[in-house]
Amino acid sequence: GTGSNILSALQDLFWLSKSKVEKQLQIISVLQWVLTFLIMGIACTLILMYILCTDCWAIAVLYLAWLVFDWNTPKKGGRRSQWVRNWAIWRYFRDYFPIRLVKTHNLLTTRNYIFGYHPHGIMGLGAFCNFSTEATGVSQKFPGIRPYLATLAGNFRMPILRDYLMSGGICPVNRDSIDYILSKNGSGNAIIIVVGGAAESLNCTPGRNSVTLRNRKGFVKLALRHGADLVPVYSFGENEVYQQVIFEEGSWGRWVQKKFQKHIGFAPCIFHGRGLFSSNTWGLLPYSKPITTVVGEPITIPKIDNPSQKEVDFYHSIYVDSLIKLFDKYKSKFGLPETEVLEVN
């Protein structure tokens, strides 16, 4: 009757409204992370400097005193918060793309690990969501394993930003920090290193599966020094979420990017995603393309205090072969043709 038709229409309206609200929450969750990535460090530094010049200067002085006292905490495993890692906002972040974490093998809690994450993409969105939050269930998939996502050490010199990053289990990608976690923090630790770094980000573009790895061997040497198993990780779709202007080798644009990379540690990329209110306009929001992160089989690494170059090269070649095999095994399952080849530079 008429009553049931009205009720059905109201139910449709309710579910439509709920869907729209969830989509807006997803957009907000991703936007806050993009702004954190791009401007939070600089913005917090400027705000702190401004407060020093106001009547509230005592607050800034107290924080700076705390900063000096707490300066070395990032080098000692940081200060993770399970409460922050379990925020509901990260589940909306996950569902925006969506992002998935795929486990292929069990990890022993009696061992330590170095995960090599590929590719970098523009912002490493898959690396952050999978390993610095619990949105994709990393603790359930790998019980007893504590993930530490390694990022630029310069981020931990920025007020407030450093505390925000540490709360998610993020640590500086430097030798002091990695040595501490792998030697003085017990077992069951997994450090996630985006091996290609800034150099790899310069070549990321939709439709291209390329990693910078041939001459990246420092992480293998670290693994040998600590006897930490190496785990290849490939994130299908990481390069699809932003469009980037790629400068050719030898061009002035590439020269500027490499100078920044050499002296500052990151490479400025010219990129765009979608707009805040429409997917048909340009903006800072990434495109909602699926990202699937596959954690491969661990490679058992012996502990060698002073590994030779020959030993480093040997285990590096095993790692490269394992990454290629991982890519080839799962590429067709996540939308790539069987003919697709992983480009290793």
Side-chain angles (χ1 to χ4, degrees), residues 19-255:
S19 175
K20 285 184 177 180
V21 168
E22 287 189 348
K23 186 62 180 177
Q24 293 305 313
L25 288 172
Q26 291 170 12
I27 290 173
I28 291 169
S29 69
V30 174
L31 179 62
Q32 69 83 26
W33 169 244
V34 170
L35 294 178
T36 296
F37 183 90
L38 295 176
I39 66 172
M40 184 177 179
I42 295 174
C44 289
T45 302
L46 293 175
I47 291 170
L48 193 66
M49 292 172 62
Y50 171 75
I51 293 174
L52 279 170
C53 301
T54 69
D55 293 339
C56 298
W57 60 268
I59 296 174
V61 169
L62 285 173
Y63 179 80
L64 289 172
W66 160 253
L67 193 62
V68 172
F69 174 78
D70 195 55
W71 190 255
N72 288 323
T73 298
K75 298 178 183 178
K76 297 180 179 180
R79 189 170 46 246
R80 75 174 55 219
S81 165
Q82 286 302 116
W83 175 65
V84 173
R85 287 175 60 88
N86 282 288
W87 277 353
I89 196 172
W90 305 132
R91 295 193 290 275
Y92 289 111
F93 183 99
R94 172 199 66 197
D95 294 340
Y96 172 85
F97 296 93
I99 295 173
R100 287 180 58 207
L101 180 65
V102 176
K103 169 186 174 180
T104 63
H105 291 78
N106 292 325
L107 298 181
L108 299 175
T109 58
T110 54
R111 300 285 293 172
N112 284 325
Y113 301 90
I114 293 180
F115 288 17
Y117 184 92
H118 314 269
H120 183 286
I122 295 292
M123 296 185 184
L125 294 163
F128 169 77
C129 184
N130 284 307
F131 301 113
S132 293
T133 81
E134 294 296 331
T136 56
V138 63
S139 293
Q140 287 72 44
K141 288 182 170 69
F142 300 104
I145 301 297
R146 292 181 299 276
Y148 293 86
L149 176 61
T151 188
L152 288 175
N155 288 325
F156 296 89
R157 302 187 187 103
M158 301 285 189
I160 309 301
L161 175 63
R162 67 188 292 278
D163 302 287
Y164 189 41
L165 295 178
M166 283 194 292
S167 68
I170 301 177
C171 68
V173 62
N174 58 31
R175 181 169 172 174
D176 288 344
S177 177
I178 294 172
D179 282 348
Y180 184 92
I181 293 171
L182 294 180
S183 63
K184 298 179 181 180
N185 202 41
S187 60
N189 303 292
I191 297 180
I192 298 88
I193 300 177
V194 186
V195 178
E200 190 172 86
S201 69
L202 297 178
N203 296 315
C204 70
T205 187
R208 183 178 182 182
N209 289 282
S210 171
V211 297
T212 301
L213 182 58
R214 289 290 180 200
N215 297 315
R216 300 292 175 108
K217 300 180 181 181
F219 73 106
V220 178
K221 190 172 184 178
L222 280 169
L224 285 165
R225 287 180 61 246
H226 293 284
D229 293 348
L230 289 171
V231 182
V233 179
Y234 197 84
S235 210
F236 294 90
E238 185 72 64
N239 284 346
E240 307 300 316
V241 297
Y242 279 111
Q243 296 280 351
Q244 182 183 190
V245 176
I246 305 293
F247 293 103
E248 295 182 0
E249 290 292 338
S251 66
W252 68 269
R254 183 53 66 104
W255 180 84

Side-chain angles (χ1 to χ4, degrees), residues 272-283 287:
H272 73 83
R274 53 155 290 182
L276 181 60
F277 301 106
S278 172
S279 59
N280 296 321
T281 58
W282 287 9
Y287 294 106

